[in-house]
């Protein structure tokens, strides 16, 4: 055990002994996400560095405090990438924060989520024990696949010390097509294309200045991408410009995210891709994941109707970002209510890994 990990273990043991809650934090780029955690700051950035990278095996292992930009740059040098395109929300994002938040970018519907690429992890639990789960190959799990449960746990199960990830080669070819259409037609087209053997990778529809536009990104073999472009039509965009726009979408830097009434929150609705246009008042949404993820801007006070509409469509709604981080904290729950069985499972896992409830208390579930 090196000095950085030793210091974290000792800090956790001391916090357990005197019942001091700890607020786990890496680069802080996702502080806005989830409820406000309680406790003293536990900074993980000292746990940094890529400890193992085997390009031929498509596996990389990095410590939790490693800057996400550093990891992606190392992969890019070998022509590889994190296919799920994790949002960075700033230059300080870390590998541990990426896994703990469990957020995926534009390609998620086609390539899978963060959890699908987690092969193994080392964590420090609420007893100050260093535990290792999984490994560096896909078929290495006997029993519960604990390493993947960490994705989206928001630090409530333990401090992630190190994680092994599956990576993939960058696709040989890529193209972005643009189509002028309204929301109804965009959803219809996406569902039609989803039933065909096309190299779909990402999609995005939104209205800006009264004009609805659908963007479709294709990735795969050169012949497959070129054939799809010919078949689908639309206006083909310059690859360099399109890449910058997809990066802006990934980090919510597109103008759509910046334009609001000042009191609107950003809502994320996760629904089936086949869900129709939702009857929500206000501005038209931004739609990703071939219809499966829909972003809306509305005041937090509209939580009840928004969540009811999402449930009726077969999904759920998350209050993703408040208009002002310093206001209205805690007035509206960030996450939708879990069913009783699911909540029991969540709380049982949290008690097993963190029996004294010292990690990120209240960030994911309300304290009991």
């Amino acid at each position: 055990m090196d000095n950085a990990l030793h210091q974290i273990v000792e800090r956790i043991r001391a916090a357990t002994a005197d019942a001091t809650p700890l607020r786990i934090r890496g680069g802080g780029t996702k502080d806005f996400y989830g409820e406000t955690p309680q406790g003293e700051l536990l900074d993980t950035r000292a746990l940094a560095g890529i400890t193992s990278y085997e390009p031929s095996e498509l596996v990389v292992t990095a410590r939790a405090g490693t800057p996400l930009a550093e990891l992606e740059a190392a992969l890019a040098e070998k022509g590889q990438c994190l296919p799920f395109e994790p949002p960075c929300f700033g230059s300080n994002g870390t590998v541990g924060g990426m896994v703990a938040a469990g957020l995926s970018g534009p390609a998620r519907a086609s390539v899978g989520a963060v959890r699908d690429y987690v092969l193994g992890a080392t964590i420090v639990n609420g007893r100050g024990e260093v535990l290792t789960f999984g490994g560096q190959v896909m078929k290495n799990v006997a029993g519960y696949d604990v390493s993947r449960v960490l994705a989206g746990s928001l630090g409530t199960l333990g401090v992630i010390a190190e994680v092994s990830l599956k990576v993939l080669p960058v696709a040989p070819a890529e193209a972005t097509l643009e189509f002028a259409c309204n929301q109804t037609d965009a959803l219809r087209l996406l569902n039609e294309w989803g039933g065909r053997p096309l190299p779909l990778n990402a999609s995005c529809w939104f209205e800006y200045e009264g004009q609805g536009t659908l963007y479709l990104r294709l990735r795969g073999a050169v012949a497959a991408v070129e054939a799809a472009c010919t078949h689908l039509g639309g206006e083909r965009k310059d690859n360099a410009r399109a890449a910058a726009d997809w990066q802006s979408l990934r980090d919510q830097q597109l103008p759509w995210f910046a334009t609001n009434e000042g009191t609107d929150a950003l809502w994320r609705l996760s629904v089936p891709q086949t869900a129709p246009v939702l009857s929500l008042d206000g501005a038209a949404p931004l739609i990703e994941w071939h219809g499966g993820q829909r972003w809306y801007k509305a005041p937090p006070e509209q939580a009840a109707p928004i969540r009811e509409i999402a449930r009726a469509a077969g999904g759920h709604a998350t209050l993703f970002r408040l208009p002002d981080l310093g206001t209205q904290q805690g007035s509206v729950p960030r996450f939708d209510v879990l069913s009783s069985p699911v909540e029991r499972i969540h709380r049982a896992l949290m008690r097993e890994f963190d029996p004294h409830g010292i990690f990120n208390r209240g960030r994911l579930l309300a304290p009991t």
Side-chain angles (χ1 to χ4, degrees):
M1 185 187 303
D2 66 14
N3 186 56
L5 182 56
H6 176 74
Q7 289 184 2
I8 286 179
V9 168
E10 290 303 311
R11 177 78 182 283
I12 292 170
R13 289 175 178 171
T16 298
D18 58 20
T20 300
L22 296 174
R23 177 168 56 93
I24 306 168
R25 187 176 188 266
T29 57
K30 300 173 186 67
D31 280 351
F32 66 87
Y33 183 55
E35 307 291 356
T36 305
Q38 305 170 19
E40 297 179 359
L41 178 64
L42 178 60
D43 194 325
T44 64
R45 287 177 292 178
L47 293 170
I50 297 172
T51 57
S52 174
Y53 179 29
E54 297 293 340
S56 62
E57 300 296 330
L58 300 176
V59 174
V60 65
T61 301
R63 306 186 85 193
T66 306
L68 188 52
E70 178 183 322
L71 174 60
E72 292 192 307
L75 296 177
E77 286 182 3
K78 301 296 183 179
Q80 296 179 348
C81 66
L82 299 172
F84 51 88
E85 300 179 305
C88 299
F89 300 127
S91 60
N92 298 323
T94 62
V95 171
M98 171 191 77
V99 175
L103 300 175
S104 303
R108 188 259 181 265
S110 298
V111 304
V114 179
R115 67 177 303 277
D116 300 312
Y117 292 83
V118 177
L119 299 176
T122 297
I123 71 169
V124 185
N125 68 8
R127 301 178 182 89
E129 300 168 335
V130 179
L131 307 175
T132 298
F133 303 97
Q136 294 185 331
V137 296
M138 289 300 291
K139 295 183 178 179
N140 60 3
V141 177
Y144 294 110
D145 195 353
V146 174
S147 54
R148 295 189 181 188
V149 175
L150 295 172
S153 64
L154 289 177
T156 58
L157 300 180
V159 177
I160 299 173
E162 188 175 78
V163 62
S164 294
L165 301 162
K166 177 185 176 182
V167 299
L168 290 180
V170 174
E174 177 178 313
T176 295
L177 304 177
E178 177 183 330
F179 304 85
C181 59
N182 60 30
Q183 184 181 173
T184 300
D185 287 341
L187 293 172
R188 176 181 56 79
L189 289 170
L190 289 169
N191 279 287
E192 287 180 4
W193 295 335
R196 301 178 187 175
L198 297 168
L200 305 182
N201 178 260
S203 59
C204 174
W205 179 90
F206 62 93
E207 279 187 1
Y208 189 65
E209 296 182 346
Q211 175 64 51
T213 307
L214 171 64
Y215 297 92
L216 184 71
R217 186 172 66 191
L218 307 168
R219 278 182 178 170
V222 175
V225 170
E226 293 302 322
C229 288
T230 301
H231 175 71
L232 295 173
E235 179 183 348
R236 188 164 181 172
K237 310 301 292 182
D238 174 75
N239 268 8
R241 175 64 182 273
D245 288 341
W246 288 109
Q247 180 68 41
S248 294
L249 172 64
R250 166 182 169 176
D251 288 334
Q252 298 185 351
Q253 296 297 315
L254 288 178
W256 185 92
F257 289 98
T259 56
N260 58 53
E261 300 300 322
T263 59
D264 285 347
L266 181 63
W267 289 87
R268 180 182 66 189
L269 274 64
S270 297
V271 297
Q273 294 177 349
T274 54
V277 174
L278 304 180
S279 57
L280 283 169
D281 295 333
L286 183 146
I287 299 176
E288 292 187 85
W289 299 1
H290 312 330
Q293 178 165 264
R294 307 186 190 187
W295 299 98
Y296 287 85
K297 290 176 286 190
E301 294 76 19
Q302 292 187 16
I306 289 173
R307 287 182 163 140
E308 182 179 347
I309 289 170
R311 289 188 204 112
H316 63 273
T318 299
L319 178 51
F320 191 78
R321 192 193 293 263
L322 289 167
D324 182 345
L325 190 61
T327 63
Q328 302 172 341
Q329 284 292 100
S331 59
V332 176
R334 294 300 193 95
F335 301 110
D336 213 339
V337 177
L338 297 175
S339 66
S340 294
V342 172
E343 182 172 350
R344 284 198 300 272
I345 292 170
H346 274 254
R347 293 195 183 279
L349 279 171
M350 292 165 66
R351 284 194 301 271
E352 182 64 30
F353 284 91
D354 182 19
H356 303 286
I358 64 170
F359 292 139
N360 281 8
R361 185 179 294 173
R363 186 162 189 181
L364 186 62
L365 295 176
T368 55

